[in-house]
Amino acid sequence: MPRLVPLIVLFVSSLAYYYYSNFVKPNRTNIDPEFRSEQIENIILQTWIDYKLNGWGKDIYHPINHRKSRNMPISGEPLGWIIIDALDTLLYVHSYSKNQTIKENMQQEIENVADWCINTLNYDIDANVNIFETTIRMLGGLLSSYYLTETTYNHNNRSTNNNSTLDSKIFLEKAIDLANRLIPAFSQSTTGIPYSSINLHSGHVKRNHANMGTSSTAEFTTLQLEFKYLSILTGDDKYWKYAESVYEPLYTNNNLIDSYDSLIPIYTFPNTGKFYTRNIRMGSRGDSFYEYLLKQYLFTHETLYYQLYRKAMDGMKRHLLRQSSPNKLVYIAERPIGLNNIHSSKMDHLVCFMGGLLAMGATEGITINKARTMDWWNYEREQDWLLAQELTYTCYQMYKQTPTGLAPEIVVFNDPESVEAHRFNSKNTNWWISPTKDFAIKPLDAHNLQRPETVESIMILYHITKDKKYRQWGAEILDNFIKHSCIHCDEPNLITYTSLDNMIQIPTKKKDNLESFWIAETLKYLYLLFQDDFDLTKVVFNTEAHPFPVINEELLKKLNLTTGWNI
Ligand code: DMJ
């Protein structure tokens, strides 16, 4: 037996080394900010130019089979889905790029978009559009483009004696027109909670065709930043008031704080404000409710929203926070049949925004070292900060452990107390099990839409810590997108990118779809990860990564814009 001891020690230490070098220690990837910035600028340009040449104006674009591309309302004109969603990313590249040729190319593209807005973009479309998606992508994109054109693009061009300035008012005018077509939705239900769609021409609302006509709870609670910013820009308080009107019935009619511990079921009846189903999750249809509570506080400093966010995060820690087996990866579970019933260990990639959100809630965008010296730093913020790091690590592992280094749409964590537990031990499961056995992927969840949430959190944690490990993680993910989601990869003039049907098998099965958030969010967050002087205290990103400036409280007072309800 004593002779076996060195062998056992050797075996255990090689296992530990294998585990450490594969799943804990990052690869040695180039994280030089100049190299990475220029590389991402080129990917943005490649994706954009391919879309411009082969799909211009189409809201749904298939980069492989161009012929099937189409507009969002099937019968109508383009909404500008991809163009408007991408515009502020082009503006950021124009402002940060150190490469003169890229800067000039971007200027040309930005001028083309502005001309397209003036001459073609028309929201008088006789078709139904989803109110949430149209608000976060189109209204959000127009407002942030207005902001960046006013404060950065025109300013930078003037200071370098470049006469090309844009008339930024075009973006604001389009935003006002679009918002005026969306707001009838708030007055067509008894509570002020909108139905899911509206006809942009007639103003008639349309209820969701499924789930008893209910609206997704996260959808009508993710309109407030955009409409509030519009009130601030126009001085017209109607946008602010309509958007805010959804909260009182939601909180009061459901006794949300006491009966649900501030955690929302994912569907709500617009006419009563009451929840439908008991399904509670931080993934799809639940996610950005929590995001906009905090972001309203960061944007306008309305303290009620920090209090509501605080309660929701405390509820999340009590009911949803779990750890995987065997390596204790912290994750956020779902409660499909209410808070007091068994949890599901399924977690959408969408939930990965939570690391960044908790970090922003803890430090409000300043570095962690500075935040810890502030008089408002407290135990809850310290706990939020620790959790932010744990969750971001878990999301990174969702990439790191897969064959492609890209994450799936949904994972299921190995949690012996969850409803899915038995599948991890079953011999004939068709689930893909991760090398450390901490999570699995079901065959139907193995797609990758090039989503932004993990790199969003990584970017935020980098700027709060300046810890290069986060740049390392982001660079690895970027390299894997380049490797596995490119089309015409060896032809520099044709190269572009697509989302994937399957991220487990190599070569990856391509989905032939360009999600507008690839340029609007994923590439933007990766780009900002490598900008040394990016300041998280100056802007608040809407849920589609469109930046709005943090608003001065004096301005709000002057405009008489205040929180119009209380709990
Ligand atoms: C984006 O459209 C928004 O971030 C939205 O809130 C949900 N997620 C997608 C991208 O994954």
Side-chain angles (χ1 to χ4, degrees), residues 410-540:
I410 301 171
V411 299
V412 181
F413 285 96
N414 186 359
D415 178 341
E417 286 168 34
S418 74
V419 71
E420 293 91 352
H422 66 283
R423 295 299 291 263
F424 279 84
N425 304 316
S426 144
K427 289 227 163 48
N428 46 16
T429 183
N430 61 353
W431 294 7
W432 180 89
I433 309 279
S434 81
T436 64
K437 305 226 176 335
D438 282 279
F439 64 89
I441 304 170
K442 298 183 193 175
L444 289 179
D445 298 337
H447 47 293
N448 174 295
L449 302 184
Q450 303 176 298
R451 285 198 187 274
E453 293 76 18
T454 298
V455 294
E456 171 181 359
S457 291
I458 288 174
M459 181 278 285
I460 290 170
L461 265 69
Y462 172 74
H463 286 292
I464 287 178
T465 58
K466 307 295 176 205
D467 182 342
K468 291 201 172 68
K469 131 183 122 187
Y470 292 113
R471 281 189 166 167
Q472 183 75 43
W473 295 1
E476 285 172 31
I477 293 172
L478 173 64
D479 284 342
N480 291 323
F481 275 128
I482 295 173
K483 196 160 159 197
H484 297 293
S485 72
C486 68
I487 311 167
H488 306 303
C489 317
D490 299 324
E491 296 172 76
N493 293 331
L494 295 179
I495 193 168
T496 190
Y497 298 84
T498 178
S499 50
L500 305 173
D501 261 333
N502 188 304
M503 43 52 68
I504 297 174
Q505 69 194 44
I506 298 179
T508 49
K509 193 165 165 231
K510 310 287 187 286
K511 194 172 176 64
D512 193 14
N513 193 38
L514 172 70
E515 294 290 343
S516 73
F517 48 71
W518 167 241
I519 301 184
E521 296 194 72
T522 311
L523 291 171
K524 180 190 288 149
Y525 285 136
L526 280 165
Y527 189 59
L528 295 178
L529 172 64
F530 291 99
Q531 304 315 311
D532 289 335
D533 55 351
F534 184 69
D535 184 347
L536 288 169
T537 66
K538 294 279 188 290
V539 294
V540 173

Side-chain angles (χ1 to χ4, degrees), residues 85 132-133 136-137 222 287-288 291 349-350 450-453 456 517 521 542-545:
D85 221 11
F132 157 76
E133 297 287 1
I136 64 166
R137 299 187 199 217
T222 309
D287 47 3
S288 42
E291 181 182 355
H349 184 277
L350 288 167
Q450 303 176 298
R451 285 198 187 274
E453 293 76 18
E456 171 181 359
F517 48 71
E521 296 194 72
N542 89 336
T543 191
E544 188 75 4

